[in-house]
Amino acid sequence: MVPDDPALAGAPSGGRVTSRLIVGLTAWWLAFPIAFWAGSVLFDNDVYVDSFRDWVGRVLLILAIGGALLSPIAGIAVSLVGRRRGACAQFAMMAALSFGGFFYLLYALLTAD
């Protein structure tokens, strides 16, 4: 392939794709508290009636948990493949914070009387 090929003029390069993935995964991690709050607000107290509002609340809670736990892992993988050392360190810190909080909540739930 010739670098000046007009068919490749609009195609994003590997560096831009990696940068966009890193920004997207970071935004997903930053938005998980809002999604968690919105998902927990949407649940009704009635456990026998399953409404659209409850379904949206469940989807938001799943997205929040995914944003907290999966986005740092995916970000580390993307930044390692894209050879972005700074982004890899940032995702490692995000993972440490997320998993530290998750394990603390898990410990608190398991030792509750």
Side-chain angles (χ1 to χ4, degrees), residues 11-88:
S13 65
R16 284 192 285 172
V17 172
T18 303
S19 295
R20 289 178 184 167
L21 282 172
I22 288 172
V23 168
L25 289 169
T26 303
W28 188 21
W29 186 79
L30 288 172
F32 88 83
I34 297 167
F36 189 78
W37 172 78
S40 62
V41 165
L42 288 175
F43 276 113
D44 292 334
N45 290 331
D46 191 6
V47 295
Y48 298 111
V49 178
D50 207 18
S51 65
F52 178 73
R53 187 176 173 184
D54 291 334
W55 182 80
V56 171
R58 280 192 200 100
V59 168
L60 282 173
L61 286 174
I62 290 170
L63 284 173
I65 293 170
L69 300 177
L70 294 179
S71 65
I73 295 170
I76 288 172
V78 167
S79 59
L80 283 175
V81 169
R83 296 185 182 128
R84 305 283 175 106
R85 299 181 104 191
C88 187

